[in-house]
Amino acid sequence: QVQLVESGGGLVQAGGSLRLSCEASGRTFTSSVMGWFRQAPGKEREFVATIWRSGGTTYYADSVKGRFTISRDNAKNTAYLQMNNLKPEDTAVYYCGASRDRGLPRLLLLDAYNYWGQGNQVTVSS
C-alpha cells in the first residue's frame, strides 16, 4: 500500500516556476515508478511525466519537455515535479501517481498507476 500526499501548488505568473512534491509512505515506494498527470478545466486527465524506480530514466509529454523536470529522492520517499517557464495552458490540477508497471507506452496511461495523490492546483496567469 502506498499513500501519496502532494504539496507545492499555487498561483504563478507566466514564465515563473513552481515545484510540486509528492511524499509517499509504504515500503513499495522505491519499487514504484512515479508519474505526474494533470487535468485542466474541461479536459481529461493527461500524462505529464514519469520516472523509473532508480530515477535514471524519465519521459515527458511533448507539451512540457524542456520546461518540466521530474525527479525522486528515494531516501526521502518523495517525488518532485520542477516546473519552469510556466504557461497559462499549464493551469491544471496536478496529480502524482505510483505504478508497479514497467515500460512504455503502458506508463503513459492513467490505469497503470495504482495509487494517487489528492491533487494540487497550479494556476498560471498571463
Side-chain angles (χ1 to χ4, degrees), residues 18-78:
L18 287 172
R19 188 179 75 161
L20 303 181
S21 297
C22 179
E23 184 178 0
S25 63
R27 64 178 182 175
T28 61
F29 177 79
T30 58
S31 62
S32 296
V33 173
M34 300 299 296
W36 289 93
F37 289 72
R38 67 186 182 186
Q39 188 166 16
K43 301 179 73 174
E44 299 297 316
R45 194 174 299 186
E46 66 176 359
F47 170 80
V48 175
T50 188
I51 184 166
W52 271 217
R53 295 167 178 84
S54 68
T57 302
T58 58
Y59 189 83
Y60 299 90
D62 288 343
S63 59
V64 306
K65 193 176 299 180
R67 300 188 298 118
F68 290 12
T69 302
I70 187 171
S71 62
R72 66 191 296 162
D73 186 339
N74 288 344
K76 296 181 178 180
N77 281 2
T78 302

